[in-house]
């Protein structure tokens, strides 16, 4: 039994040694692969950085035109060379379209020779504009020197060349020292890795750098000769690198130790490389051999222990009891484990139920990028998983995405980022966090929230803000915003123009500093009202930068937060300086016009009285004398002169009619009744004569107004009513006229309304003065002259209403 146990222990020891060796080898391969990936990314980053710098340098106009290249090109290149410093760039060179050196920071630089002339051929092709090319220098096989080139075309414009012709003028190139770069990277990343362990091969199988076989550099591995078998047992590892593109491979060269090669791809525009880091198996096997010795020592100890235990075992029954106890404990542990697994399964189901019911998308992916779980939202948005990896499912890519955040999550970090899906055309907010997977490894839990609508709203809001800001900046009115302390926080260009300050001079200054001391009290009163929520426009003078004063109308709007706390205000400021000046000039003009109108009407009334007296006194007396003489002639005629008597009678009657017309005309020109009996009596007499003259029904309702209106206004009222009745009699075809003269508060209202044909006031007003006459204009002018207001309300077919309102004296 002891021998059997020793055999079992020996087998277990060997098995443990083998498993340990495999685990060490696997970890070493992962480490080498990780290092190869890191080195590949560093090389790619270095080349891309130099490529961006080369593109920036190629944008200088002086590099595109031969008229300045002897001076300006050198200055541009030397300036850039001083910026990039020591970043493993041996030289910056400019070649013309034939490959000849125009200028180089390295005086030993020669033209592009055979083999390098492919750069010129590549650059001449129009499809390669704005592209960069990475080409090795063939004569320097072990120097690992490359040319990074970009074609130059006359496409950049400047003041001397406003219209570039697009002509190919040469090549701008950087000479990169990749060997020095690799030495620096190897020393900083892993001091144990030397340059002899690194070699580079392109995707076609051509070696670009191989310290072990320098004679094979720039040769293709498929170009094999008979003597190749003297060193290489097999080339399978090379084909494996070209097929797998990333991973590890074992290989052996005759008379040399077996090695492990870790390889990773590096892509850059026109090149595709494989970066290989090799290491001898001795690094691993040495550790494994030490482990084997330690296991043998352990085996000896175990054998010794077994020998001692064999001597100490005294009873088979004790061993049986011990075994039964162990079985019982094992069964108990198994029961506990099963119970724990059941509880874990219940918790998992609860978690799955929560994730399934979420409105956001959720999925879990392991470290092999295999999707372990998706909730219904994800499958509805992106379709069924069908055992795809995450990069195949979400991006339709066969390889892991370069922008993937999974490594950070697997390292224990939580990452939040935005992603726009080309598959759905929508934008998502992603939150990645680590979670323990079913097998105990760290997995990634990602929450996907659709924010496409929010993004569209944000874009619309930014565009709206831009439009409103443009609208505010282009307003013809001044606009400003002040905080709760009265300090400007924003002013538009118009307000700056109005006050003569720049925006920088106004923002941050209190508004009161732009007011005079006399106007600051009014401004503070308005601010107090605004804090109370009152809103209203007010006039406010401002002091301009040149000391002048402008008058404005301020339309404020207070700003409150959600707790109704005052946070400031914004206001529209309208410059009314010119309007005020125009109003003042207009008032002065109106004052002068009233004075002239008053003088004119006074002169008119005086002239009417004079004409009235002459008609009544001179012409009336002459007609009376003529009437008496006709009567005398009629009496002295003979009885048989009947026809002459009849003509005399007709003449007397005609003279009576003329005398009556002269009296009426005299009264119209100067109504003596107005001077003798007052305005009220004169108006009643005027209205009575109007009704008789035109046979129109008049409804009169009036009070005595002589004591309510100043005497100098009586003639104006009389003439206004007379003009209104004359117009009604001549033009309205009315049957009824209603006249209402009443007191209304602090004024007297004269209202005259007819049921005639009416007229279109706008059409009448739009006519020329010759066509529309002076009646309405004269009536309104007379009313304004005595401080009254004349209003006309009319509509065709609906009659006319004229209202005169005068303030009570």
């Amino acid at each position: 039994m002891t021998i059997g146990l020793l055999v079992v222990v020996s087998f277990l020891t060997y098995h443990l040694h083998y498993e340990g060796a495999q685990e060490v080898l696997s970890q070493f391969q992962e480490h080498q692969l990780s290092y190869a990936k890191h080195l590949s990314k560093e090389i790619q980053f270095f080349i891309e950085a130099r490529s961006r710098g080369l593109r920036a340098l190629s944008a200088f106009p002086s590099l595109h035109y031969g008229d300045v290249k002897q001076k300006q090109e050198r200055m541009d290149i030397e300036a850039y060379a001083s910026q990039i410093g020591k970043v493993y760039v041996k030289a910056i060179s400019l070649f013309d379209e034939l490959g000849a050196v125009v200028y180089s920071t390295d005086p030993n630089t020669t033209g592009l020779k055979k083999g390098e002339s492919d750069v010129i051929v590549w650059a001449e092709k129009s499809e390669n504009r704005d592209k960069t090319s990475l080409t090795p220098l063939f004569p320097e096989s072990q120097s690992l020197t490359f040319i990074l080139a970009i074609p130059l075309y006359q496409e950049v414009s400047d003041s001397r060349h406003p219209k570039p012709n697009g002509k190919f003028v040469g090549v701008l190139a950087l000479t990169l020292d990749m060997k020095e770069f690799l030495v620096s990277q190897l020393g900083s990343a892993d001091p144990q890795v030397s340059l002899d362990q690194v070699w580079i091969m392109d995707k076609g199988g051509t070696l670009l750098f191989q310290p072990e076989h320098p004679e094979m550099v720039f040769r293709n591995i498929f170009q094999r000769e008979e003597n190749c078998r003297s060193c290489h047992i097999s080339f399978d590892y090379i084909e494996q690198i070209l097929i797998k593109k990333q991973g590890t491979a074992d290989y052996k060269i005759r008379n040399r130790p077996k090695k492990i090669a870790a390889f990773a791809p590096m892509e850059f525009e026109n090149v595709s490389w494989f970066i290989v880091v090799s290491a001898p198996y001795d690094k691993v096997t040495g550790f494994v051999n030490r482990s084997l010795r330690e296991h043998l020592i352990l085996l000896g100890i175990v054998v010794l222990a077994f020998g001692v235990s064999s001597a100490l075992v005294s009873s088979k029954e004790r061993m049986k009891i011990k075994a039964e106890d162990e079985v019982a404990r094992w069964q108990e542990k198994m029961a506990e484990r099963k119970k724990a697994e059941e509880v874990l399964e219940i918790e998992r189901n609860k978690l799955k139920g929560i994730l399934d019911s979420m409105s956001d998308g959720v999925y879990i992916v392991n470290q092999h990028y295999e999707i372990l779980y998706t909730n219904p939202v994800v499958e509805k948005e992106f379709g069924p998983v069908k055992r795809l990896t995450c990069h195949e499912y979400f991006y339709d890519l066969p390889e892991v995405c370069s922008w993937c955040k999974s490594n950070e999550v697997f390292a224990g970090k939580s990452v939040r980022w935005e992603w726009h899906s080309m598959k759905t055309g929508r934008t998502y907010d992603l939150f990645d966090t680590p979670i323990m997977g079913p097998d105990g490894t760290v997995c990634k839990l990602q929450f996907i929230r659709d924010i496409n609508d929010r993004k569209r709203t944000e874009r619309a809001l930014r565009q709206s803000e831009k439009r409103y800001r443009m609208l505010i900046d282009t307003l013809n009115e001044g606009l400003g915003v002040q905080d709760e302390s009265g300090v400007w926080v924003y002013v538009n260009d118009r307000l700056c123009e109005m006050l003569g300050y720049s925006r920088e001079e106004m923002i941050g200054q209190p508004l009161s500093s732009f007011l005079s001391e006399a106007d600051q009290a009014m401004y503070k009163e308005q601010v107090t009202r605004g804090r109370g929520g009152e809103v209203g426009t007010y006039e406010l003078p401002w002091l301009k930068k040149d000391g002048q004063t402008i008058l404005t109308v301020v339309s404020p709007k207070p700003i409150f937060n959600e707790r109704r706390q005052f946070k400031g205000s914004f206001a529209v400021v309208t410059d009314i300086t010119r309007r005020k000046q125009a109003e003042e000039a207009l008032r002065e003009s109106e004052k002068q016009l009233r004075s002239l109108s008053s003088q004119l009407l006074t002169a008119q009334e005086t002239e009417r009285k004079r004409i009235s007296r002459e008609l009544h006194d001179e012409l009336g007396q002459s007609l009376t004398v003529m009437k008496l003489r006709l009567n005398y002639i009629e009496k002295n005629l003979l009885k048989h002169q009947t026809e002459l008597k009849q003509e005399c009678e007709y003449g007397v009657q005609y003279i009576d009619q003329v005398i009556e017309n002269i009296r009426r005309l005299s009264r119209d020109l100067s109504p003596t009744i107005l001077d003798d009996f007052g305005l009220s009596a004169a108006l009643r007499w005027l209205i009575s004569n109007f009704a008789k003259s035109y046979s129109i029904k008049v409804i009169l309702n009036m009070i005595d107004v002589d004591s309510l209106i100043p005497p100098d206004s009586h003639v104006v009222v009389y003439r206004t009513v007379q003009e209104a009745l004359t117009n009604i009699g001549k033009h309205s075809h009315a049957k009824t006229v209603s006249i209402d003269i009443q007191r209304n508060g602090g004024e007297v209202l004269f209202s005259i309304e007819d049921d005639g044909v009416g007229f279109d006031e706008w059409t009448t007003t739009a006519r020329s003065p010759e066509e529309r006459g002076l009646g309405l204009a004269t009536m309104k002018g007379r009313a304004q002259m005595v401080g009254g207001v004349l209003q006309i309300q009319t509509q065709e077919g609906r009659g006319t209403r004229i209202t005169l309102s005068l303030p009570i004296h």
Side-chain angles (χ1 to χ4, degrees), residues 391-576:
H391 50 81
E392 292 172 337
Y393 179 61
F394 291 105
Y395 304 98
D396 295 328
L397 294 177
E399 297 181 354
V400 178
C401 310
S402 58
W403 59 85
C404 184
K405 310 290 185 183
S406 297
N407 289 334
E408 299 179 37
V409 178
F410 295 147
K413 295 181 179 179
S414 294
V415 182
R416 187 165 194 163
W417 53 297
E418 290 186 3
W419 165 57
H420 182 77
S421 172
M422 302 302 295
K423 191 172 184 179
T424 63
R426 303 183 70 83
T427 303
Y428 301 91
D429 179 29
L430 306 181
F431 179 73
D432 301 343
T433 186
I435 188 175
M436 192 65 66
D439 57 355
T441 60
V442 177
C443 297
K444 180 181 78 173
L445 172 65
Q446 183 175 91
F447 296 91
I448 305 175
R449 175 168 293 177
D450 189 340
I451 59 171
N452 195 72
D453 295 337
R454 189 188 78 189
K455 285 290 182 181
R456 183 168 58 250
T457 303
E458 290 175 354
R459 287 193 297 271
L461 181 59
R462 286 193 294 270
Q463 293 174 358
S464 176
E465 289 177 349
K466 183 177 180 181
R467 287 195 298 270
Y468 283 121
R469 182 168 292 276
M470 183 182 299
L471 175 63
I472 289 172
D473 288 339
T474 56
L475 274 176
N476 196 35
E477 310 292 340
L479 189 141
V481 181
Q482 54 181 326
D483 61 15
E484 62 269 24
S485 302
V487 176
W488 289 120
V489 296
Y490 172 80
V491 290
N492 70 346
D493 294 338
R494 175 57 181 155
L495 186 56
C496 296
E497 179 184 347
M498 289 166 57
L499 299 181
Y501 292 91
S502 66
R503 184 172 294 179
E504 291 75 15
E505 290 175 320
M506 293 188 66
I507 292 179
Q509 297 297 323
L511 184 148
S512 57
S513 63
F514 300 92
L515 305 176
S516 66
E517 294 183 1
D519 297 321
Q520 288 183 9
M522 180 177 64
Y523 162 69
K524 291 179 180 178
E525 179 183 352
Q526 294 295 333
V527 171
T528 302
R529 294 177 59 189
R531 289 177 179 272
E534 296 184 32
V535 179
T537 60
Y538 58 93
E539 294 186 3
L540 184 65
W542 299 76
L543 291 178
K544 297 179 63 175
K545 188 175 182 180
D546 58 6
Q548 296 183 7
T549 301
I550 63 171
L551 296 175
T552 66
V553 171
V554 180
S555 302
K557 178 68 175 178
I559 301 173
F560 298 94
N561 61 12
E562 62 277 1
R563 290 179 292 179
R564 295 298 298 170
Q565 294 176 334
F566 180 76
K567 289 298 179 181
S569 65
F570 70 87
V572 176
V573 182
T574 305
D575 187 352
I576 61 170

Side-chain angles (χ1 to χ4, degrees), residues 546-792:
D546 58 6
Q548 296 183 7
T549 301
I550 63 171
L551 296 175
T552 66
V553 171
V554 180
S555 302
K557 178 68 175 178
I559 301 173
F560 298 94
N561 61 12
E562 62 277 1
R563 290 179 292 179
R564 295 298 298 170
Q565 294 176 334
F566 180 76
K567 289 298 179 181
S569 65
F570 70 87
V572 176
V573 182
T574 305
D575 187 352
I576 61 170
T577 304
R578 293 184 178 179
R579 191 182 80 187
K580 285 291 185 180
Q581 294 171 350
E583 289 176 354
E584 184 63 29
L586 182 59
R587 282 193 294 269
E588 184 64 27
S589 176
E590 288 179 349
K591 182 178 180 182
Q592 295 177 0
L593 183 60
R594 286 197 196 97
S595 177
L596 291 174
S597 298
S598 177
Q599 294 175 15
L600 179 61
L601 290 175
T602 302
Q604 185 182 42
E605 290 299 326
T606 302
E607 184 65 16
R608 284 185 173 187
K609 288 181 179 180
R610 186 187 66 80
I611 296 173
S612 175
R613 284 195 303 269
E614 289 183 358
L615 287 175
H616 182 271
D617 295 341
E618 298 294 334
L619 187 57
Q621 291 177 7
S622 298
L623 290 173
T624 303
V625 171
M626 186 179 293
K627 175 183 176 183
L628 293 174
R629 295 193 66 176
L630 282 176
N631 286 330
Y632 176 77
I633 293 171
E634 179 188 357
K635 291 179 180 180
N636 290 299
L637 288 175
L638 300 176
K639 292 183 179 180
H640 66 275
Q641 292 178 319
T642 55
E643 293 182 358
L644 289 175
K645 285 185 176 183
Q646 189 175 6
E647 287 297 330
C648 288
E649 291 177 358
Y650 288 156
V652 171
Q653 292 177 0
Y654 180 74
I655 290 174
D656 288 338
Q657 185 178 358
V658 172
I659 292 174
E660 183 61 30
N661 288 336
I662 289 174
R663 289 176 179 172
R664 181 182 56 79
L665 182 59
S666 178
R667 287 194 302 269
D668 289 341
L669 287 172
S670 179
T672 56
I673 190 174
L674 182 63
D675 297 329
D676 297 337
F677 299 101
L679 178 60
S680 298
L683 289 177
R684 288 189 176 94
W685 174 84
L686 176 64
I687 294 168
S688 176
N689 283 347
F690 165 78
K692 294 177 182 179
S693 299
Y694 294 99
S695 300
I696 297 177
K697 180 181 179 182
V698 176
I699 301 174
L700 177 62
N701 181 21
M702 68 173 290
I703 63 173
D704 291 335
V705 295
D706 298 69
S707 61
L708 302 178
I709 301 175
D712 56 354
S713 300
H714 289 183
V715 67
V716 172
V717 175
Y718 180 85
R719 294 298 184 192
T720 302
V721 175
Q722 184 184 41
E723 182 69 26
L725 293 176
T726 302
N727 288 337
I728 293 173
K730 289 182 179 180
H731 307 294
S732 70
H733 304 289
K735 295 180 180 180
T736 303
V737 176
S738 298
I739 302 175
D740 189 44
I741 303 175
Q742 299 294 330
R743 178 173 181 170
N744 183 18
E747 60 184 6
V748 179
L749 295 180
F750 299 81
S751 176
I752 304 173
E753 184 176 359
D754 66 66
D755 59 356
V757 297
F759 62 92
D760 188 346
E761 185 178 3
W762 293 105
T763 304
T764 304
T765 306
R767 293 176 183 172
S768 64
E770 294 80 5
E771 293 176 340
R772 68 172 181 262
L774 300 175
L776 294 178
T778 303
M779 293 167 65
K780 290 184 177 180
R782 285 173 173 167
Q784 292 177 356
M785 186 178 66
V786 295
V789 177
L790 183 74
Q791 295 180 339
I792 300 175

